[in-house]
Amino acid sequence: MSGTEVSAEQVGMLVLIGAPGAGKSTVGRRLANRLSLPFVDVDQLIEQTSGREIADIFATDGEATFRELERAATVAALAGSEEQVVSLGGGAPMTEAIAEALAPHHVVWLKVSPGAAADRVGLNVARPLLLGNVRSRLVSLLNARTPTYQRLADHVVETDDHGADDIVELIIEHRRELERR
């Protein structure tokens, strides 16, 4: 590990938001490991509790059912006082109940361009909202979601030119700066 160790008491709950391909799951897992905190990936939580893959929920029950499962899982994950790192699904912040639940937490927007996100996501069929022309769908999603991400974020990290470990370091350094104030 590089840099000074950061204790859980210093960090609080960190919540990662951003578009598909921004690196929320990868960065979240590494950030939690670096900070010795639990990691919650809400998409994985939904799959574990429902016993189904997200793509299957979308295909069988539709987006509205998925969004309700996402709302319940996310609000529950954010309701606890436990120090942890939480990775949200890309569309989760668009749900008002989730946006409200984010208020007491430190929200980090992992900002990614459509081109970089498309390169990272590829033709991943496990992402039902990106089926078809991936780059075009990402442009549409980002146009719709960027204002919400901007409104909710306490900190923005540009991810296009950074690897996951660099992004983790940028988040930790930002937290250290906040603690010095």
Side-chain angles (χ1 to χ4, degrees):
M1 275 187 225
S2 62
T4 307
E5 291 303 313
V6 179
S7 70
E9 295 77 36
Q10 295 172 306
V11 175
M13 191 179 299
L14 288 168
V15 184
L16 305 180
I17 63 172
K24 299 177 301 289
S25 296
T26 301
V27 169
R29 197 172 292 105
R30 290 181 187 189
L31 181 61
N33 184 50
R34 174 76 194 282
L35 299 173
S36 299
L37 292 173
F39 174 61
V40 177
D41 183 315
V42 173
D43 284 346
Q44 287 182 347
L45 184 61
I46 293 166
E47 289 182 342
Q48 289 169 354
T49 58
S50 71
R52 300 166 59 198
E53 292 183 6
I54 290 172
D56 180 50
I57 296 168
F58 264 84
T60 305
D61 302 327
E63 184 175 358
T65 297
F66 168 74
R67 293 294 175 203
E68 179 52 32
L69 292 170
E70 180 180 58
R71 183 204 57 75
T74 303
V75 169
L78 297 176
S81 60
E82 182 179 7
E83 309 284 349
Q84 59 187 356
V85 176
V86 180
S87 169
L88 301 190
M94 306 306 289
T95 300
E96 192 56 37
I98 293 172
E100 290 171 7
L102 288 170
H105 306 297
H106 190 78
V107 178
V108 179
W109 174 20
L110 299 183
K111 188 175 181 182
V112 64
S113 70
D119 289 345
R120 293 175 187 168
V121 171
L123 299 176
N124 186 341
V125 295
R127 297 175 188 260
L129 290 181
L130 298 181
L131 293 178
N133 182 330
V134 174
R135 189 177 298 257
S136 173
R137 293 290 298 141
L138 282 164
V139 168
S140 295
L141 286 175
L142 283 170
N143 285 339
R145 295 175 179 175
T146 291
T148 300
Y149 293 158
Q150 286 175 323
R151 177 175 57 89
L152 297 173
D154 298 303
H155 181 57
V156 179
V157 178
E158 301 275 350
T159 66
D160 284 10
D161 298 322
H162 297 287
D165 291 330
D166 292 337
I167 295 166
V168 167
E169 290 304 317
L170 290 168
I171 294 168
I172 290 173
E173 183 53 36
H174 174 72
R175 293 295 294 171
R176 286 186 187 128
E177 289 173 18
L178 289 176
E179 291 162 3
R180 286 186 217 128
R181 294 181 189 167

